[in-house]
Amino acid sequence: MMKGLKKWRLFSLLAVMMVFLSGCGEEYISALKPSGEVGKEQLNLLLLTTGIMTLVVVIVSVIYLLAFVKFRRAKVGENVIPKQVEGSHTLEVIWTVIPIILLLIIAVPVVTATYKFADVAAMDEVDENGNKTALTVNVTAKLYWWEFEYPNQGIVTAQELVVPTGQKVYFNLKAADVKHSFWIPAVGGKMDTNVENLNKFYLVFDKESKDLKDGVFYGKCAELCGPSHALMDFKVKSLSPEAFDAWVVSMKATEGQTADKASTDLGEATFANSCLACHAVSGVGGTGGVGPNLTTFGDRNRVAGFLEHTEENLQAWIKDPGQYKPGNLMLNPDGTAPIYGDLSDEEIQALATYIMGLSVEK
Amino acid sequence: MSSYTQKKGFGAAVWDYITTVDHKKLAVMYLLAGTLFFAIAGFEALLMRIQLMKPNNDFVSAGFFNELLTMHGTTMLFLAATPLLFAFMNMLVPLQIGARDVAFPFLNSLGFWLFFLGAVFLHLSFFMGGAPDAGWTSYASLSLYSPGHGIDFYVLGLQISGAGTLISGLNFIVTIITMRAPGMTFMRMPLFTWTALVSSALILFAFPPLTIGLLMMLFDRMFGGNFFDHTMGGNTIIWEHLFWIFGHPEVYILVLPAFGLFSEIIPAFSRKRLFGYSSMVFATILIGFLGFMVWAHHMFTVGLGPTANAIFAVATMAIAVPTGMKVFNWILTIWGGSIKVTTPMLYALGFIPSFVAGGVTGVMQASAPLDYQLHDSYFIVAHFHYVIVGGIVTALFGSAHFYWPIFFNRMLNETLGKWTFWVFFIGFHLTFFVQHFLGLMGMPRRVFTYMEGQGWDQFNYISTIGALMMGVGVIMMVINCLMSIKGKPAGRDPWGDGRTLEWAIPQPIPFYNFRQTPLVRGLDPYWIEKQEGNKEGMTYAEPLGDIHMPNNSAIPFVISLGMFIAAFGALYNPDADKPWSIYVLIIGLAITFGAMIVRSVKDDHGFHLHKEEILEIEEQLYGKGGNK
């Protein structure tokens, strides 16, 4: 059986599979269409293992179907008593050794890649001025949103990760409440955010995200974390290094920005009274906010990570956040009403307009 | 005194089942209880699939979905697959080794009642303020955070149920090692008995870590133990280790007996002895051993570091080798045989490619860096359902058809059986094959909904259609079982191709099994006797004489009931407004320990069945008007 399967069949099988697999899914979310070194290597491993494993399934199925077709009782006769064969050492050795060889073929790249993906030594490298050379992002996963802090730049944002293309971006991952898992399928595999320790890994973003359908890559939480686990999405905007630097500069320019209680703008005043305790509107400053930092809200792709980015949705969200993300922390502990109390429709409208206007890119 | 001729009303029949220590009756009880929970968990699965049929669906709420997914996983593994396999182990192991019962019939009954009442306790959570909702793995940070009593139900229910499983596993080990008929050496044991032995040994080593983990969780929830609370110096990753040191072997605890069942079905309907018997035994032991070495492959993304990941990746892949040996041995058993495609054989034939497909995706996930993409995605869901449905459920369904005559002296309808197979089998592949792609396309598992336009809509729809077909298949199977009540008695060796001892016993099987202990002269002893034209069935190792049998007892039920009551006390103990709970706890434990003391101080020597009585019973069973 094994001899009959010539080499070209393996290659054509791989080729067919490549076409088939890569035809699957959307570019901004599918692990089959990776846009970065890590994801690409993972796809190569996928193709290698799928190839070998498909080969195994095919060989087993062929032998098995052949046995089935040749030795049916209808064919061999009702009263035939087959020879009671005990076994065959040669055959048993063959099907022990061949799988071992196949596994070794897989094991070598697997072990290599395991060490490669875990290599975060460059995270702490500094240039002659003592500045870190690599870009590091501290990710904190919370019930049900994500905080992204850039410690070397001194800025912080939430829900939408902004990264430059063409360089390794290092991540420090942590969870603030329960375990989550940080996953950007189209860019590279996931890493858990634990509550008790820091996990580190890196990703590379090859492609600017502006040409994608929504202009962003989709990120997901992959670890069950409560009722709204399915809604704990985030988005990733990859920019050219120059655009990224410009973004950092405009983020830094928001230093000290705050909402004024005495403002003539009803939205800003309401925000200052009801929201400012949890949500910051300056991209420079502390992390560990109770709610997401809203400095870049107007630039974002989604409300709450998954709702379409419209003012109506934002108003509806402010009115009843529990309806959209059950179990989220904008509600009183008993889960009935928002912690900021009742706002009038007029206030909510003005508030939504104000929040939508928060932007560093416009 | 004659112990077998009482006429029975309904109440007496119920009492008989509550007090029975007969392995065959307990097997039937395991079968019924397992089927009940299988149906419940299957229904939960259907609700989830209906919710995921289209994007942004609101068929069930987010919180309820998490309860469904938790209870589906927990129930299927602990309360459906395990008891159903125990049903077959209870029925077959003593028969296959020529024993009158298991080594400790009393403990066998205790094992069942602990399992059953623990399972009932867990399911009461649905009616008493919310089921557990932190996934069947109940990872510590989320399960500590989870409000309400759901997780307490999980912890207490599984603790009681798990104790039952542990007791049963111990019982099987002793039975198989000490109670084999003369001539039944280890290397002549049927493969199902071998897998039952290895699987019981795994239970013995795997359940204690779970027990410890659950106990620590119980302390955290009841007394603020802070084993897992990181804000107080605890560590949630400890839970993951404890859980998976149990959880990974658990897969083999289930799949090894399934392998054993197929190793009985395939030779029978190929009319050929199992190819490479000794290597099958070796592979079974090796899989059991390796099963303990690989738990951390469930934790590749936790951040254990590259060295741990690399070691566990390679160790995990190694399991593919003995498993592959088994698959090829099965195929070579068919090769050169005379294959009769009965319903059980159809399940066995469907099992081979399905299980291989599930096994190879296991190797893919063992590749740690690739697992970073696959972990907690729908790819995993596809993989473990291919293993569990493709391996274990097909084994259970196939063996239900195969062994129905041993259980009930009836045959299941073959035509309906084959229809059931095709509906279920096609539904299964439709459901889970596309989920591989869903995972690769970025869909995380355990999500109660998904937004449209991410490229997942179509595959989810197909998957749900498949799940509904599986549901129809299961209903057809149950109808077939019910129809068999009206069927004709099957008699001894109804398939005509029985090879092992259980087929040599005349039907219906008397409560003492073999009238005389059989003499085993080789592998597949009944086949040997048939080939030599032995009309009697077996050659016996002893003359007809008195048989010693154990008495029935209600004590196992009472012990379990005490635990069941105590569990409610423990459950409500942390609530300040329920001061009575401590008394419930004390009363429950008092019942349990009281019953244990009664058991300890009261001598129970069982009874002897005399020669004349045996002849009388056999005349009733097989004489004129017998063989019911």
Side-chain angles (χ1 to χ4, degrees):
Chain A
M1 266 336 291
M2 298 297 284
K3 281 175 204 153
L5 205 98
K6 294 194 185 91
K7 260 189 181 163
W8 62 267
R9 290 197 188 165
L10 175 63
F11 286 122
S12 54
L13 193 72
L14 271 174
V16 169
M17 240 161 32
M18 182 103 80
V19 174
F20 182 58
L21 285 179
S22 57
C24 264
E26 305 288 342
E27 206 177 356
Y28 51 86
I29 179 133
S30 177
L32 297 170
K33 294 179 176 172
S35 303
E37 179 201 312
V38 177
K40 276 177 186 158
E41 266 185 63
Q42 283 163 340
L43 181 67
N44 288 340
L45 268 176
L46 179 76
L47 290 172
L48 173 74
T49 50
T50 316
I52 293 175
M53 293 301 138
T54 311
L55 187 77
V56 172
V57 175
V58 168
I59 290 173
V60 170
S61 305
V62 168
I63 305 179
Y64 148 85
L65 283 175
L66 217 62
F68 174 67
V69 170
K70 278 177 80 167
F71 299 102
R72 267 170 312 142
R73 192 163 301 176
K75 207 168 170 191
V76 298
E78 190 60 39
N79 294 318
V80 174
I81 300 295
K83 199 162 161 251
Q84 303 292 304
V85 191
E86 196 157 312
S88 156
H89 277 294
T90 327
L91 282 174
E92 283 160 34
V93 168
I94 289 175
W95 59 61
T96 310
V97 172
I98 291 178
I100 291 178
I101 295 172
L102 292 181
L103 291 181
L104 283 176
I105 297 175
I106 299 177
V108 172
V110 161
V111 173
T112 321
T114 306
Y115 279 94
K116 190 176 165 196
F117 292 159
D119 179 15
V120 289
M123 221 166 170
D124 302 319
E125 277 171 18
V126 287
D127 60 17
E128 56 267 29
N129 300 327
N131 294 322
K132 295 263 171 81
T133 49
L135 177 65
T136 302
V137 182
N138 295 340
V139 178
T140 312
K142 307 192 183 190
L143 288 167
Y144 304 102
W145 60 280
W146 299 84
E147 183 174 77
F148 305 109
E149 184 201 5
Y150 301 72
N152 305 337
Q153 285 73 19
I155 54 177
V156 62
T157 183
Q159 285 298 51
E160 206 164 286
L161 174 67
V162 181
V163 286
T165 55
Q167 66 183 80
K168 283 185 178 172
V169 180
Y170 292 87
F171 293 94
N172 286 316
L173 304 164
K174 197 162 174 31
D177 29 52
V178 304
K179 226 174 108 98
H180 305 273
S181 190
F182 177 82
W183 186 27
I184 311 169
V187 179
K190 66 188 72 65
M191 188 68 121
D192 290 355
T193 62
N194 295 317
V195 286
E196 56 268 285
N197 65 340
L198 213 57
N199 271 339
K200 299 175 180 188
F201 84 142
Y202 70 86
L203 291 172
V204 183
F205 300 78
D206 277 356
K207 194 178 157 113
E208 286 181 50
S209 61
K210 62 174 186 284
D211 304 326
L212 298 169
K213 195 186 93 185
D214 288 338
V216 285
F217 290 106
Y218 283 23
K220 300 277 171 187
C221 172
E223 183 69 69
L224 182 64
C225 53
S228 289
H229 161 58
L231 307 173
M232 199 176 148
D233 289 6
F234 62 97
K235 302 289 175 284
V236 185
K237 204 178 265 179
S238 54
L239 307 171
S240 67
E242 302 75 42
F244 177 76
D245 291 340
W247 179 78
V248 171
V249 170
S250 46
M251 276 299 273
K252 280 184 162 167
T254 64
E255 184 164 12
Q257 185 174 305
T258 184
D260 182 6
K261 279 187 189 185
S263 170
T264 51
D265 179 80
L266 178 63
E268 186 176 344
T270 314
F271 190 92
N273 281 316
S274 304
C275 314
L276 202 55
C278 302
H279 296 280
V281 289
S282 161
V284 181
T287 58
V290 183
N293 185 309
L294 297 181
T295 314
T296 62
F297 195 92
D299 309 328
R300 285 185 200 160
N301 186 268
R302 294 291 150 119
V303 173
F306 69 101
L307 295 167
E308 220 179 306
H309 200 249
T310 62
E311 229 170 278
E312 293 75 53
N313 276 339
L314 181 57
Q315 287 173 19
W317 168 268
I318 296 169
K319 214 173 236 164
D320 187 5
Q323 187 197 336
Y324 297 95
K325 272 191 180 176
N328 82 66
L329 302 182
M330 271 174 95
L331 300 170
N332 281 323
D334 63 358
T336 48
I339 41 177
Y340 42 82
D342 278 338
L343 297 176
S344 72
D345 284 353
E346 196 191 356
E347 283 172 320
I348 288 178
Q349 271 174 25
L351 194 53
T353 314
Y354 170 75
I355 294 172
M356 277 297 198
L358 293 169
S359 163
V360 297
E361 291 177 29
K362 280 165 197 161
Chain B
M1 190 207 82
S2 197
S3 48
Y4 50 88
T5 41
Q6 310 104 336
K7 292 276 177 208
K8 284 180 202 148
F10 178 73
V14 170
W15 181 247
D16 186 40
Y17 272 90
I18 287 179
T19 59
T20 190
V21 294
D22 180 2
H23 73 97
K24 296 181 289 299
K25 278 188 179 154
L26 284 164
V28 171
M29 287 151 78
Y30 269 118
L31 192 71
L32 292 176
T35 307
L36 170 72
F37 291 117
F38 183 80
I40 293 173
F43 182 66
E44 285 158 0
L46 282 183
L47 292 182
M48 286 192 284
R49 269 321 323 167
I50 292 171
Q51 161 71 10
L52 293 172
M53 193 165 190
K54 53 180 195 186
N56 298 317
N57 205 356
D58 58 357
F59 179 69
V60 296
S61 74
F64 186 53
F65 188 91
N66 286 359
E67 294 180 9
L68 286 176
L69 73 85
T70 304
M71 289 300 282
H72 168 72
T74 310
T75 308
M76 276 298 189
L77 285 166
F78 290 98
L79 315 177
T82 311
L84 286 171
L85 287 165
F86 273 3
F88 288 104
M89 278 156 75
N90 254 304
M91 180 56 88
L92 298 173
V93 166
L95 299 179
Q96 284 195 329
I97 61 174
R100 301 227 180 273
D101 204 324
V102 292
F104 308 114
F106 178 92
L107 287 187
N108 203 14
S109 164
L110 180 60
F112 172 81
W113 286 112
L114 283 172
F115 141 69
F116 184 70
L117 290 177
V120 169
F121 180 81
L122 187 52
H123 276 81
L124 285 176
S125 61
F126 275 118
F127 312 102
M128 299 177 70
D133 57 358
W136 89 283
T137 56
S138 207
Y139 272 12
S141 60
L142 181 61
S143 56
L144 292 183
Y145 187 84
S146 171
H149 282 303
I151 304 298
D152 302 317
F153 273 107
Y154 173 92
V155 167
L156 292 160
L158 286 191
Q159 195 70 289
I160 296 173
S161 240
T165 308
L166 188 54
I167 288 171
S168 302
L170 207 62
N171 206 347
F172 283 119
I173 295 175
V174 179
T175 306
I176 294 168
I177 290 178
T178 62
M179 295 182 68
R180 284 163 291 134
M184 173 74 73
T185 61
F186 273 107
M187 291 314 276
R188 283 180 187 171
M189 279 192 329
L191 212 76
F192 178 65
T193 299
W194 254 115
T195 54
L197 176 62
V198 175
S199 156
S200 301
L202 293 188
I203 289 177
L204 186 64
F205 290 108
F207 269 71
L210 176 72
T211 307
I212 296 298
L214 290 173
L215 197 73
M216 288 160 94
M217 181 75 82
L218 182 71
F219 271 47
D220 268 17
R221 304 236 353 156
M222 264 179 83
F223 311 123
N226 296 328
F227 287 108
F228 305 122
D229 182 357
H230 74 285
T231 57
M232 300 298 284
N235 190 314
T236 61
I237 295 169
I238 304 270
W239 167 267
E240 294 182 32
H241 281 294
L242 282 172
F243 185 86
W244 287 118
I245 286 172
F246 147 78
H248 195 77
E250 168 71 8
V251 178
Y252 297 97
I253 290 169
L254 298 176
V255 86
L256 285 176
F259 288 168
L261 289 167
F262 284 124
S263 303
E264 302 295 320
I265 293 173
I266 292 173
F269 296 111
S270 306
R271 269 194 192 152
K272 218 166 137 251
R273 64 168 282 176
L274 190 65
F275 190 87
Y277 172 85
S278 48
S279 68
M280 286 297 244
V281 171
F282 174 69
T284 305
I285 297 171
L286 197 62
I287 292 172
F289 178 75
L290 288 174
F292 273 99
M293 302 295 143
V294 298
W295 77 90
H297 69 215
H298 296 267
M299 300 165 64
F300 281 152
T301 65
V302 171
L304 300 179
T307 307
N309 280 4
I311 290 171
F312 279 99
V314 176
T316 304
M317 288 178 193
I319 295 187
V321 177
T323 315
M325 274 161 72
K326 277 178 167 281
V327 171
F328 281 107
N329 279 333
W330 283 318
I331 295 178
L332 264 276
T333 308
I334 299 174
W335 194 276
S338 161
I339 307 167
K340 188 173 184 188
V341 189
T342 57
T343 310
M345 190 61 176
L346 202 53
Y347 278 102
L349 293 170
F351 153 79
I352 292 176
S354 316
F355 185 79
V356 171
V360 294
T361 48
V363 175
M364 294 170 73
Q365 282 155 45
S367 314
L370 178 54
D371 185 67
Y372 300 161
Q373 283 285 19
L374 307 179
H375 188 79
D376 272 335
S377 78
Y378 254 81
F379 192 90
I380 301 285
V381 180
H383 157 73
F384 67 69
H385 281 95
Y386 259 80
V387 172
I388 289 171
V389 182
I392 299 162
V393 177
T394 51
L396 291 168
F397 282 18
S399 331
H401 285 87
F402 189 48
Y403 287 116
W404 205 251
I406 301 259
F407 272 86
F408 300 109
N409 194 19
R410 296 286 182 277
M411 295 289 271
L412 291 177
N413 184 307
E414 278 285 285
T415 319
L416 185 53
K418 284 176 184 165
W419 274 101
T420 307
F421 169 80
W422 285 113
V423 171
F424 185 82
F425 190 72
I426 293 170
F428 157 62
H429 282 281
L430 216 52
T431 310
F432 296 111
F433 187 70
V434 293
Q435 291 186 357
H436 291 116
F437 296 97
L438 280 176
L440 294 171
M441 284 150 61
M443 180 162 168
R445 72 193 269 219
R446 292 168 159 174
V447 289
F448 80 97
T449 187
Y450 52 96
M451 310 310 131
E452 62 191 322
Q454 295 180 91
W456 308 338
D457 309 1
Q458 207 173 3
F459 282 170
N460 270 301
Y461 188 80
I462 295 173
S463 192
T464 302
I465 300 294
L468 292 170
M469 276 179 78
M470 289 170 78
V472 172
V474 173
I475 292 170
M476 288 166 74
M477 171 102 190
V478 171
I479 291 174
N480 201 347
C481 294
L482 293 176
M483 272 169 44
S484 77
I485 298 172
K486 298 259 172 199
K488 284 193 283 293
R492 176 198 281 189
D493 193 17
W495 298 104
D497 288 316
R499 304 179 69 87
T500 37
L501 273 180
E502 72 268 29
W503 301 106
I505 303 190
Q507 286 283 356
I509 305 171
F511 67 92
Y512 47 79
N513 297 350
F514 284 96
R515 180 171 68 166
Q516 292 151 271
T517 306
L519 178 70
V520 176
R521 297 192 290 154
L523 189 66
D524 295 342
Y526 184 47
W527 173 263
I528 294 175
E529 303 291 337
K530 276 198 287 187
Q531 287 309 104
E532 293 183 1
N534 182 347
K535 290 274 185 296
E536 171 72 4
M538 289 304 299
T539 309
Y540 294 113
E542 57 176 21
L544 183 60
D546 293 356
I547 297 173
H548 178 249
M549 295 301 293
N551 281 325
N552 285 356
S553 170
I555 295 178
F557 179 72
V558 177
I559 292 177
S560 312
L561 192 67
M563 300 281 272
F564 180 73
I565 294 168
F568 283 102
L571 181 81
Y572 289 118
N573 200 38
D575 295 4
D577 61 332
K578 297 194 177 71
W580 44 264
S581 59
I582 187 75
Y583 302 106
V584 174
L585 183 64
I586 291 169
I587 292 169
L589 289 177
I591 293 174
T592 296
F593 288 114
M596 286 177 173
I597 291 166
V598 170
R599 156 81 177 164
S600 302
V601 296
K602 204 182 99 188
D603 278 336
D604 181 355
H605 297 299
F607 65 96
H608 276 92
L609 198 62
H610 299 295
K611 210 159 132 183
E612 303 74 45
E613 289 178 304
I614 297 171
L615 292 171
E616 198 185 315
I617 293 171
E618 305 235 320
E619 176 58 29
Q620 255 183 25
L621 290 176
Y622 316 122
K624 277 206 172 121
N627 204 12
K628 293 189 186 103

